[in-house]
């Protein structure tokens, strides 16, 4: 029984990644993720700063397909380095579209986890139809969908904030403090 559920979950996750890959292969976007990914690759493979000109030029090339010209605004990393570490597993993937598809899947799963944390905080057990509707709305609303398409890490900040609220309700102040400190990485979207 457990093995069957595990196989079903793996198949569903694989299908989810495949759908995201088909999307990323056909549609442009992911500007925020392109900056995160190129900055992490600059650290890993070029031994250079993720905030420098090399990372910016690589990001510009990934986003627009052309090298940065004089006068173009730079595509600079806006995350602190300790959060950039979360991007490293995706940065070891050479295929940008595959890395972006996996990142999109990670963000979508984060939205679902945020919804479940909110349900738990509210001590609410909606019916499967209502809960499923809320999850779909959360992913496909303009705010969720736009952040996912861009690959913006603000979704992770939202997940951490939901964790803060739940931890406070459960009187786990230390955990709430840690999550709050981690969630402050994305002040601007």
């Amino acid at each position: 029984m457990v093995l069957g559920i595990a196989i079903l979950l793996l198949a569903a996750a694989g299908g989810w990644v495949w759908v995201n890959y088909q999307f990323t292969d056909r549609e442009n976007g992911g500007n925020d993720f392109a900056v995160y990914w190129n900055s992490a690759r600059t650290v890993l493979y070029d031994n250079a700063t993720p905030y420098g000109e090399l990372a910016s030029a690589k990001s510009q090339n990934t986003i627009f397909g052309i090298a940065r010209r004089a006068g173009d605004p730079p595509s600079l990393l806006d995350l602190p380095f300790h959060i950039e570490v979360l991007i490293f597993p995706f940065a070891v993937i050479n295929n940008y579209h595959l890395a972006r598809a996996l990142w999109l899947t990670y963000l979508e799963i984060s939205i679902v986890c945020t919804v479940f944390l909110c349900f738990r905080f509210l001590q609410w057990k909606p019916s499967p139809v209502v809960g499923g509707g809320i999850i779909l709305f959360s992913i496909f609303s303009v705010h969720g969908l736009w952040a996912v398409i861009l690959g913006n890490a603000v979704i992770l900040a939202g997940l951490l904030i939901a964790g803060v609220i739940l931890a406070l309700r459960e009187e786990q102040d230390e955990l709430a403090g840690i999550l709050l400190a981690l969630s402050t990485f994305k002040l601007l979207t």
Side-chain angles (χ1 to χ4, degrees), residues 51-67:
Y51 304 103
E53 187 62 35
L54 178 61
S56 177
K58 287 183 175 189
S59 298
Q60 192 84 6
N61 192 30
T62 300
I63 294 168
F64 299 111
I66 56 172

Side-chain angles (χ1 to χ4, degrees), residues 82-146:
H82 69 279
I83 299 299
E84 182 71 5
V85 171
L86 296 174
I87 310 298
F88 285 166
F90 302 96
V92 298
I93 301 169
N94 284 330
N95 183 334
Y96 171 72
H97 295 293
L98 177 60
R100 183 174 165 224
L102 290 168
W103 179 251
L104 292 180
T105 305
Y106 179 59
L107 293 179
E108 292 158 348
I109 290 169
S110 296
I111 290 174
V112 172
C113 291
T114 302
V115 170
F116 280 114
L117 284 177
C118 291
F119 288 163
R120 183 153 179 218
F121 167 72
L122 296 170
Q123 297 177 336
W124 182 42
K125 294 182 182 175
S127 69
V129 172
V130 171
I134 291 171
I135 289 170
L136 288 174
F137 179 77
S138 298
I139 293 173
F140 294 108
S141 69
V142 67
H143 304 291
L145 191 59
W146 189 249

Side-chain angles (χ1 to χ4, degrees), residues 22 40 43 50 54 56-57 72 75 104-105 128 130 155 157-158 170 175 178:
Q22 296 304 312
V43 170
L54 178 61
S56 177
D72 286 345
S75 300
L104 292 180
T105 305
V130 171
I155 293 171
E170 300 291 329
L175 176 60
I178 291 168

